[in-house]
């Protein structure tokens, strides 16, 4: 658009408004082609492609790695349920994990030696889903007049009550001493697998014990996830889905547009809880047992992370978020893969800081030269500073020739370098233009040094650290989540 | 013939502050029912109002800031419950009903501070209003049964019809845009379209011309007239812009401190000494 008055490229207010979406967020940056392609694929085909890729997964990985896939699918399912409550209806429900736990315990109790009642799966599942949905509706009753933080506190309390009830069931009044339904802190073991239409999900081993068949569990979870996605997609495009979103946007206005707000809130809670109950029951069968520790706030936070990272309100977003949240930590177990992630993350961060590819190249080159110089002098002064063995991974071997790999005093020195790196980060944040690059060079070098000398050898610490860093960077770059749409609160 | 809306002796106070006092009003009956009470009672805010609307009648409510106009709207639409008096819609009292029930009975409104659903598309905003008049159960929606599909198509058509009412302002490419991308004036139009889609008998517009430029104000004036003539709504409108009030009103009510100080044609109300005094202060009427 030209600034010259009378220029025919000038546009009127209406056109300006028309183009506002494009200016705002659509198709900018290097992800643009991918996003454009994604938009051209209809939801049905997207689902089909996703299912195809997901169905191929068990063939591509080693047997026990399929477990990770099951974890991912279960997280995706339960996060989709949470998305109904949080992403669509806009109700900040922190008690959601209780419904998941309720479904799991319900199934464990009715399909094990606990009662003993060995309900067939086809009977247990509908009952569990209905009961959990009812519980969700009931728990929403006292909180239906609350919104935002108040609702969050109230529901958080429900989650805690559930956990305490499960842990201390036998000590409750009116419960006979010999009736220990939930198994207290020890949980319930020996939960039976699902068996639907004569198709058993786990296989029996030679001695009649249950042997988990990961592939079958995986495909069962995939089928349920696919059904869930289709159902929720239809629901989102219906009067019910619109009513939920309207009540998220403006409850008062929704009420005046003939939407029964309290009933819709109750319905959102019930639908979300029902999905959580279903997933919980599947989780119990997959685990062959349930334990109170699975249903703590940590899992609640994981679910929220999946929803928020993927893009609250978007079905493909939430599924992608669940994949990222459940899969990335597994990826980081392997120091080699973690190294890749570290350097990719560092590269992304570098690009975000300087925003120009030529500057990125200059910086990377400078870091390399800086490393060579440091190594040269350091080797002269104290030769043990270059004698260490790098972690044997591809990326680490690349660093071998120019990054100091210490042999002695490793911990002490990396701690000091870590402090230097932090100072460097502060300088980078305040510095502008070329000064920023000047500060970036030693900072990056120190970061690499710390990584190669310490973090690469301690995957358990690194895992959490890296994961946190990925989330922080991700949310800073795309606050609306991977596939979410930016929401405007006040204008 | 029963009036669309009738207020009898309506009163509301907030923590000792009387906001509406003894208000009577009939809207949509063709004639004014409660004309007998000489108003100007207590100096309090909407104190006992009586108002009534005839079908296809436009009644404007004017008054200085804090006169109780928006409170009156909030009382009619069920946000507040009156302390005293009755609100009668088609011969039936609607006092104590929830806003959603009142909306289902045929009262739709817009808001002074815009309340469109910002992060939904323009079309979805209007489609939301069909909730009360549609009945697809949740399982029908999940499985997309033929009945649910049919209903969904009808809802979309309804929304498109309502949006078409505003000419090309809200047409075509705008349907699938999020409402936040609309200009201020278009958001006002969208709010009116959304209110229309609830299929109301009484449309209540809270300052429809606020924040609009003269051309847009002129347009909205014509639009309100069109709503009455073509769609047959009874309209209750709060407005500060006297050009709009003059242009659309069949009848004007002036409020001050919740008391009806004048009622009649625009000219009658505009020259009423009490009204001039309310706006400009004591003695102002003499200097005119």
């Amino acid at each position: 658009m030209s600034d010259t008055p009378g220029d025919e490229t000038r546009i009127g207010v209406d056109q300006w408004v028309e183009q506002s979406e494009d200016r705002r967020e659509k198709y900018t940056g290097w992800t643009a082609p991918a996003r454009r392609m994604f938009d051209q694929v209809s939801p049905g085909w997207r689902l089909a492609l996703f299912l195809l890729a997901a169905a191929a997964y068990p063939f591509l990985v080693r047997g026990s790695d399929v477990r990770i896939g099951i974890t991912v699918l279960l997280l995706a399912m339960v996060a989709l349920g949470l998305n109904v409550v949080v992403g669509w209806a806009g109700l900040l429900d922190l008690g959601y994990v209780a419904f998941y736990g309720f479904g799991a315990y319900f199934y464990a109790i009715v399909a094990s030696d606990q009662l003993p009642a060995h309900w067939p799966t086809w009977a247990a599942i509908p009952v569990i889903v209905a009961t959990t949905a009812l519980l969700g509706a009931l728990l929403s009753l006292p909180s239906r007049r609350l919104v935002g933080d108040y609702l969050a506190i109230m529901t958080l309390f429900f989650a805690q009550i559930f956990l305490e009830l499960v842990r201390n069931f036998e000590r409750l009044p009116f419960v006979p001493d010999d009736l220990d339904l939930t198994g207290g802190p020890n949980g319930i073991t020996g939960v039976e697998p699902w068996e639907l239409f004569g198709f058993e999900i786990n296989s029996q081993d030679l001695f009649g014990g249950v042997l988990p068949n990961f592939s079958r569990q995986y495909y069962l979870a995939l089928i349920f996830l696919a059904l869930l996605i289709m159902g929720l997609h239809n629901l989102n495009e219906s009067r019910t889905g619109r009513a939920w979103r309207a009540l998220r946007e403006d409850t008062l206005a929704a009420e005046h547009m003939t939407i029964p707000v309290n009933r819709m809130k109750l319905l959102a809670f019930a639908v979300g809880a029902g999905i959580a109950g279903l997933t919980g029951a599947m989780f119990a069968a997959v685990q062959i047992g349930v334990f109170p520790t699975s249903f703590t706030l940590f899992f609640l936070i994981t679910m929220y992370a999946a929803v928020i990272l993927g893009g609250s309100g978007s079905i493909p977003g939430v599924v992608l978020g669940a994949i990222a949240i459940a899969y990335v930590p597994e990826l980081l177990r392997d120091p080699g893969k973690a190294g890749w992630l570290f350097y990719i993350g560092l590269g992304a961060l570098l690009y975000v800081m300087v925003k120009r590819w030529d500057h990125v190249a200059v910086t990377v080159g400078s870091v390399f030269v800086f490393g060579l110089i440091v190594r040269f002098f350091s080797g002269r002064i104290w030769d043990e500073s270059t004698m260490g063995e790098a972690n044997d991974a591809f990326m680490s071997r690349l660093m071998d020739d120019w990054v100091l790999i210490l042999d002695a005093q490793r911990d002490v020195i990396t701690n000091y370098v870590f402090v230097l790196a932090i100072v460097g980060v502060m300088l980078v944040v305040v510095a502008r233009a070329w000064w920023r690059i000047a500060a970036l060079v030693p900072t990056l070098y120190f970061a690499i040094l710390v990584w190669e000398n310490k973090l690469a050898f301690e995957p358990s610490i690194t895992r959490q650290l890296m994961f946190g860093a990925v989330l922080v960077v991700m949310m800073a770059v795309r606050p609306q989540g991977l596939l979410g749409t930016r929401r405007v609160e006040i204008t | 013939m029963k009036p669309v809306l009738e207020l009898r002796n309506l009163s509301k106070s907030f923590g000792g502050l009387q906001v509406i006092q003894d208000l009577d009003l009939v809207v949509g009956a063709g004639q004014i029912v409660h004309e007998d009470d000489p108003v100007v009672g207590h100096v309090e805010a909407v104190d006992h109002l009586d108002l009534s609307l005839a079908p296809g009648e436009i009644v404007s409510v004017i008054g200085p800031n804090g006169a109780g106009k928006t409170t009156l709207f909030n009382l009619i639409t069920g946000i507040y419950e009156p302390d005293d008096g009755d609100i009668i819609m088609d011969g039936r009292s609607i006092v104590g009903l929830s806003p959603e029930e009142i909306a289902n009975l045929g009262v739709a409104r817009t808001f002074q501070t815009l309340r469109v659903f910002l992060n939904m598309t323009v079309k979805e905003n209007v489609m939301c209003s069909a909730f009360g008049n549609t009945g697809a159960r949740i399982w029908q929606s999940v499985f997309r049964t033929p009945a649910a599909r049919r209903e969904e198509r009808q809802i979309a058509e309804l929304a498109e019809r309502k949006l078409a009412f505003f000419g090309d302002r809200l047409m075509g490419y705008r349907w699938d845009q999020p409402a936040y991308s609309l200009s201020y004036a278009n958001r006002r139009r969208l709010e009116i379209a959304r209110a229309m889609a609830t299929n109301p008998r009484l449309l209540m517009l809270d300052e429809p011309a606020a924040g609009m430029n003269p051309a847009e104000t002129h347009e909205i004036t014509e639009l309100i007239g069109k709503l009455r003539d073509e769609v047959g709504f009874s309209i209750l409108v709060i407005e500060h812009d006297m050009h709009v009030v003059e242009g659309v009103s069949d009848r004007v009510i002036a409020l001050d401190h919740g008391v009806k100080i004048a009622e009649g044609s625009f000219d009658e109300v505009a020259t009423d000494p009490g009204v001039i005094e309310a706006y400009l202060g004591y003695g102002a009427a003499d200097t005119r």
Side-chain angles (χ1 to χ4, degrees):
Chain A
M1 273 156 271
S2 164
D3 293 325
T4 334
D7 192 315
E8 49 184 27
T9 55
R10 269 161 49 102
I11 55 168
V13 176
D14 283 358
Q15 282 116 306
W16 191 87
V17 170
E18 178 192 353
Q19 291 163 8
S20 71
E21 177 73 4
D22 300 325
R23 278 196 313 278
R24 238 176 250 257
E25 65 167 326
K26 258 197 177 162
Y27 316 140
T28 52
W30 53 278
T31 56
R35 301 206 69 205
R36 209 170 289 137
M37 264 167 65
F38 183 78
D39 273 7
Q40 280 166 2
V41 185
S42 75
W45 278 106
R46 273 180 221 170
L47 180 64
L49 288 174
F50 165 71
L51 290 179
L52 208 66
Y57 175 79
F59 296 106
L60 301 175
V61 296
R62 279 172 321 210
S64 63
D65 272 5
V66 179
R67 282 187 72 117
I68 303 169
I70 299 171
T71 313
V72 169
L73 294 181
L74 289 181
L75 181 63
M77 282 173 70
V78 76
L80 280 174
L82 182 63
N83 182 49
V84 171
V85 188
V86 179
W88 291 348
L91 302 163
L92 196 56
D93 178 9
L94 295 186
Y96 190 70
V97 70
F99 304 125
Y100 183 65
F102 182 81
Y105 267 97
F106 199 133
Y107 182 76
I109 288 167
V110 299
S112 69
D113 294 330
Q114 198 68 15
L115 267 182
H118 299 274
W119 290 15
T121 307
W122 60 263
I125 297 311
V127 172
I128 290 172
V129 172
T131 317
T132 323
L134 193 70
L135 185 74
L138 280 178
L139 286 191
S140 80
L141 284 179
S143 40
R144 75 201 153 118
R145 299 182 69 87
L146 304 175
V147 286
D149 348 12
Y150 304 100
L151 180 68
I153 293 169
M154 182 110 174
T155 48
L156 184 63
F157 192 54
F158 287 139
Q160 285 304 315
I161 290 177
F162 170 77
L163 217 54
E164 292 309 319
L165 281 182
V166 161
R167 282 196 187 121
N168 302 302
F169 189 79
E170 56 177 343
R171 281 191 264 163
L172 290 177
F174 311 116
V175 172
D177 282 347
D178 54 341
L179 182 71
D180 188 8
L181 264 188
T182 61
N186 300 326
I188 301 169
T189 48
V191 177
E192 287 153 17
W194 281 27
E195 189 182 337
L196 284 172
F197 314 115
F199 180 76
E200 198 169 329
I201 307 308
N202 288 347
S203 37
Q204 307 275 319
D205 68 12
L206 286 176
F207 308 102
V210 181
L211 192 72
N213 184 326
F214 295 131
S215 299
R216 284 187 189 174
Q217 286 173 344
Y218 178 87
Y219 285 115
L220 182 81
L222 190 61
I223 290 167
F224 271 88
L225 177 66
L227 293 175
L228 197 60
I229 289 175
M230 286 191 272
L232 287 177
H233 175 82
N234 288 348
L235 196 56
N236 190 25
E237 303 285 313
S238 75
R239 70 197 272 269
T240 311
R242 278 192 300 271
W244 279 334
R245 278 177 284 144
L247 110 98
R248 172 193 77 199
E249 291 298 313
D250 190 326
T251 310
L252 185 75
E255 213 172 351
H256 281 94
M257 299 307 138
T258 69
I259 293 168
V261 168
N262 284 336
R263 222 169 66 212
M264 296 317 292
K265 280 187 185 175
L266 198 122
L267 195 62
F269 267 101
V271 169
I275 295 170
L278 170 73
T279 320
M282 195 179 275
F283 173 74
V286 167
Q287 289 260 304
I288 330 177
V290 286
F291 312 97
T293 46
S294 307
F295 312 109
T296 55
L297 291 182
F298 181 78
F299 188 67
L300 179 77
I301 294 167
T302 310
M303 290 190 291
Y304 264 93
V307 170
I308 293 165
L309 178 79
S312 177
S314 149
I315 294 174
V318 170
V319 174
L320 194 64
I323 294 171
I325 292 287
Y327 201 73
V328 171
E330 297 297 333
L331 206 69
L332 292 174
R333 270 183 208 282
D334 179 348
K337 286 180 189 159
W340 274 100
L341 203 65
F342 175 77
Y343 288 110
I344 290 171
L346 218 55
L349 210 61
L350 173 62
Y351 179 75
V352 169
M353 293 309 286
V354 300
K355 301 246 167 66
R356 276 180 60 174
W357 287 110
D358 51 346
H359 289 186
V360 170
V362 168
T363 315
V364 172
S366 308
V367 173
F368 183 64
V369 174
F370 184 81
L372 286 177
I373 296 170
V374 168
R375 195 181 161 101
F376 177 77
F377 284 109
S378 165
R380 284 289 161 90
I381 298 163
W382 182 43
D383 58 2
E384 274 189 57
S385 65
T386 56
M387 301 277 280
E389 288 279 318
N391 186 19
D392 188 36
F394 175 70
M395 285 307 271
S396 297
R397 268 180 276 127
L398 279 184
M399 308 293 154
D400 225 6
D401 294 330
W402 53 280
V403 178
L404 293 182
I405 310 287
L406 301 164
D407 196 24
Q409 303 286 330
R410 193 174 260 192
D411 277 353
V412 179
I413 292 173
T414 35
N415 283 347
Y416 283 118
V417 175
F418 181 68
V419 174
L420 281 178
I422 299 280
V423 173
V425 169
M426 289 176 188
L427 286 177
V428 168
V429 171
V430 285
R432 290 279 167 264
W434 288 102
W435 286 110
R436 170 172 282 186
I437 292 178
L440 263 171
V441 171
T443 308
L444 285 174
Y445 183 76
F446 294 145
I448 295 169
L449 203 147
V450 170
W451 173 265
E452 290 299 339
N453 282 287
K454 189 161 188 171
L455 297 181
F457 295 96
E458 290 174 27
S460 56
I461 304 172
T462 317
R463 206 152 76 102
Q464 303 296 331
L465 216 68
M466 290 272 300
F467 190 46
V470 168
L471 285 187
V472 169
V473 171
M474 173 63 222
M475 292 323 288
V477 175
R478 265 187 86 77
Q480 69 270 47
L482 292 168
L483 294 180
T485 348
R486 189 174 302 177
R487 277 188 202 157
V488 177
E489 297 292 340
I490 306 157
T491 48
Chain B
M1 183 177 188
K2 281 179 193 148
V4 174
L5 179 78
E6 191 179 350
L7 306 185
R8 287 187 195 146
N9 233 24
L10 197 69
S11 289
K12 176 72 184 173
S13 66
F14 292 122
L17 175 71
Q18 198 78 34
V19 187
I20 301 272
Q21 189 174 337
D22 293 326
L23 186 72
D24 292 312
L25 175 70
V26 176
V27 186
Q31 76 267 0
I32 299 158
V33 177
H34 289 272
E35 226 185 359
D36 42 325
D37 57 332
V39 194
V40 198
H42 323 263
V43 190
E44 288 155 329
V46 182
D47 297 15
H48 293 6
L49 267 164
D50 288 301
L51 269 133
S52 309
L53 276 183
E57 182 187 28
I58 298 177
V59 177
S60 296
V61 180
I62 63 168
N65 289 328
K69 304 183 297 295
T70 298
T71 303
L72 173 64
F73 269 35
N74 289 345
L75 283 168
I76 297 174
T77 54
I79 295 181
Y80 305 139
E81 242 182 82
D83 300 333
D84 194 13
D86 209 353
I87 304 169
I88 292 155
M89 175 88 192
D90 292 329
R92 180 189 156 188
S93 173
I94 58 170
V95 170
L97 297 184
S98 70
E100 158 243 331
E101 288 166 322
I102 292 172
N104 270 324
L105 287 174
V107 179
R109 73 172 289 183
T110 65
F111 297 87
Q112 184 181 1
T113 51
L114 286 166
R115 282 172 169 267
V116 292
F117 305 129
L118 289 173
N119 297 302
M120 297 172 73
T121 67
V122 168
K123 200 166 148 186
E124 275 182 335
N125 260 276
V126 184
M127 287 167 85
C128 279
S129 299
F131 192 94
N133 296 321
T134 48
R137 304 278 97 202
I138 180 165
W139 57 268
Q140 288 176 312
S141 299
V142 166
F143 296 110
R144 233 172 237 193
T145 58
R149 278 165 197 260
R150 204 175 323 118
E151 194 180 85
E152 197 63 15
R153 260 200 312 279
Q154 283 164 356
I155 296 173
E157 277 163 20
L158 170 87
E160 284 160 22
R161 265 204 315 279
K162 298 300 174 193
L163 287 168
F165 198 79
F166 296 84
D168 54 4
R169 292 286 193 181
L170 293 174
M171 286 305 278
Y173 65 88
R174 286 226 169 86
W175 285 351
D176 296 322
Q177 285 190 333
Y180 67 68
S181 71
L182 292 182
S183 66
Y184 191 83
N186 273 340
R187 289 185 197 181
R188 285 229 173 269
R189 294 186 184 102
L190 178 60
E191 262 211 343
I192 296 173
R194 190 179 67 174
M196 285 164 70
T198 62
N199 198 16
R201 312 221 12 237
L202 171 66
L203 190 60
M204 299 171 54
L205 307 174
D206 199 343
E207 298 202 24
M212 289 199 171
N213 68 31
E216 288 167 337
T217 303
H218 181 71
E219 202 181 299
I220 209 88
T221 310
E222 288 185 338
L223 181 91
I224 295 170
K226 215 168 104 183
L227 286 174
R228 172 194 53 193
D229 299 338
E230 292 179 14
V231 193
F233 290 139
S234 291
I235 297 169
L236 193 59
V237 52
I238 294 177
E239 190 47 68
H240 278 303
D241 190 319
M242 287 306 149
H243 295 295
V244 177
V245 175
E246 187 176 12
V248 301
S249 311
D250 295 321
R251 198 142 51 85
V252 177
I253 313 274
L255 290 187
D256 187 28
H257 294 99
V259 180
K260 184 159 76 180
I261 51 172
E263 179 171 357
S265 69
F266 176 78
D267 290 332
E268 283 163 22
V269 173
T271 52
D272 187 286
V275 175
I276 295 168
E277 223 170 84
Y279 272 94
L280 299 175
Y282 180 73
D286 304 331
T287 61
R288 183 157 169 175

